[in-house]
Amino acid sequence: MQLFDYMMAHGHEQVVFFQDKDSGLKAIIAIHNTNLGPALGGTRMWPYASEEEALVDVLRLSRGMTYKAAMAGLALGGGKAVIIGTPAKDKTEALLRAYGRCIATLKGRYITAEDVGTGQPDMDIIRQETVYVTGVSPEKGGSGDPSPFTALGVLHGMRAAAGVVFGSEELAGRRVLVQGLGQVGRHLCRLLAGEGAVLTVTDINPRAVDQVVKEYSAKAVAPDQVYALEGDIYAPCALGAVVNDATVDRLKYRLIAGSANNVLAEDRHGDILHQRGIMYVPDYVINAGGLINVAEELNGYQQQRVMEKVARIYDHVRQVLFVAEKENIPPYRAADRLAGERVHRAGASLRMGMPAGAPEPSGKHVPEVRQVG
Ligand code: NAD
């Protein structure tokens, strides 16, 4: 890979490689953009097949974080880190502490959090070496599990999109398919059941399915049935790239709104959905609740403030869908444009020597906030 060419093409500011021989640490931190503030993004630990694969992943993920933070109205930039290794085998206290010292050298330009392969106990270890870490345990001023907030944000966004697609934000009676009943999917089922939605669920883990079926009277279907079913709303809450060449023409839902990251295998799949009249709510707009939650740790964590900010996902989704409709473009393009403009404006302010600031997007409508957790 021609790294500088890639960085220039996609606007990355900085990529840092770290190694620690004693602990076996091999980490890459990518800072995509800091116009709006320090780059916050999780640390993914994964047994990448090659260094190039790890590099591509961290570059792609860090850029996504810039857009996510910008759309969420946060005073944060986008960054991400990867550690090459198998968590169960390679993740030791020595490795995490060495990694914490690496983060410290960036002096706050990058702030980490948990991601695939890392969790709250790991963040607590990293905290021993640096303050530039979120997602630590509540006893250490942390915010705990972000999943209920991610699920709540998805619910707010789903309501906003339902208003546009169905002419009513009411979810009672809507047939919703939840794919993936892990941390977020489970909470989303609870919230949707509370709204009176008619739930169909699927997961590759039968125990997760049984629990949700029992608790929320949901109907279970096999994982491969998702693309054969017909319904109102499809909520992908498992893996990414579920809208791809094999599925995009088969989907028979009017709205796609879920927590999964990178739902579209490629941008062109978003164009096809648009042509087919299926509304896709861009992942990073609707699934920002978890980021909003950890970001609050930097302000002195208060759950009520998190709930209010997560409720604004409703407005962010409305704004994206408004622009998409007005300009007859797919929502993913509208979101990229809105987020890109905000980052660009902040960059222009900085160049003129003015604070970039991070005004919250106008949150006129804050829907009723329900209990989470
Ligand atoms: P998780 O690992 O807890 O849950 C994922 C679930 O999907 C698991 O139960 C797994 O068995 C199931 N699954 C995997 N493959 C499947 C398949 N083919 N069909 C059906 N089910 C399948 O993850 P999570 O934390 O709930 O996150 C879910 C998604 O939301 C991920 O894409 C994640 O990146 C994204 N996300 C999560 C958060 C958060 O706060 N946890 C925030 C933003 C985005």
Side-chain angles (χ1 to χ4, degrees), residues 146-147 150 179-184 203-204 223 237-239 259-261 287:
S147 311
T150 304
Q179 178 188 41
L181 305 171
Q183 316 260 44
V184 182
D203 196 292
I204 50 171
C237 297
L239 309 174
S259 75
N261 278 311
N287 75 12

Side-chain angles (χ1 to χ4, degrees), residues 108-296:
R109 273 177 58 72
Y110 170 69
I111 302 166
T112 201
E114 54 229 278
D115 195 73
V116 176
T118 62
Q120 189 177 289
D122 305 324
M123 298 306 120
D124 285 350
I125 294 173
I126 292 169
R127 181 68 180 80
Q128 294 177 50
E129 301 289 346
T130 179
V131 293
Y132 300 118
V133 51
T134 58
V136 295
S137 52
E139 309 83 69
K140 294 187 163 61
S143 54
D145 178 11
S147 311
F149 298 97
T150 304
L152 182 64
V154 171
L155 183 76
H156 286 305
M158 200 182 267
R159 277 210 203 105
V164 176
V165 175
F166 306 114
S168 163
E169 293 177 3
E170 273 290 318
L171 295 173
R174 290 266 166 246
R175 294 165 301 157
V176 186
L177 182 284
V178 180
Q179 178 188 41
L181 305 171
Q183 316 260 44
V184 182
R186 266 201 321 268
H187 286 293
L188 184 61
C189 286
R190 174 177 52 76
L191 295 169
L192 285 169
E195 296 289 318
V198 180
L199 286 178
T200 304
V201 297
T202 189
D203 196 292
I204 50 171
N205 174 356
R207 264 191 308 178
V209 174
D210 287 349
Q211 195 187 339
V212 169
V213 164
K214 222 181 282 162
E215 281 182 34
Y216 308 119
S217 313
K219 180 180 166 219
V221 291
D224 59 2
Q225 282 298 300
V226 168
Y227 311 106
L229 286 177
E230 202 185 322
D232 297 316
I233 305 174
Y234 166 34
C237 297
L239 309 174
V242 284
V243 180
N244 54 42
D245 282 341
T247 63
V248 70
D249 291 323
R250 297 168 60 202
L251 289 167
K252 292 184 275 295
Y253 304 86
R254 289 181 62 197
L255 173 61
I256 302 178
S259 75
N261 278 311
N262 303 321
V263 167
L264 303 176
E266 292 174 45
D267 284 355
R268 66 187 172 83
H269 297 113
D271 300 330
I272 299 172
L273 289 176
H274 184 61
Q275 285 153 15
R276 291 195 56 213
I278 298 173
M279 170 85 71
Y280 162 63
V281 182
D283 42 17
Y284 65 80
V285 181
I286 197 166
N287 75 12
L291 173 65
I292 291 169
N293 186 55
V294 290
E296 269 305 302

Side-chain angles (χ1 to χ4, degrees), residues 50 90 101 113 120 125 150 154 169 172 188 202 231 299 321 327 329 336:
S50 68
D90 303 320
R101 291 192 292 277
Q120 189 177 289
I125 294 173
T150 304
V154 171
E169 293 177 3
L188 184 61
T202 189
N299 303 325
L321 299 187
E327 303 188 15
I329 54 174
D336 283 1

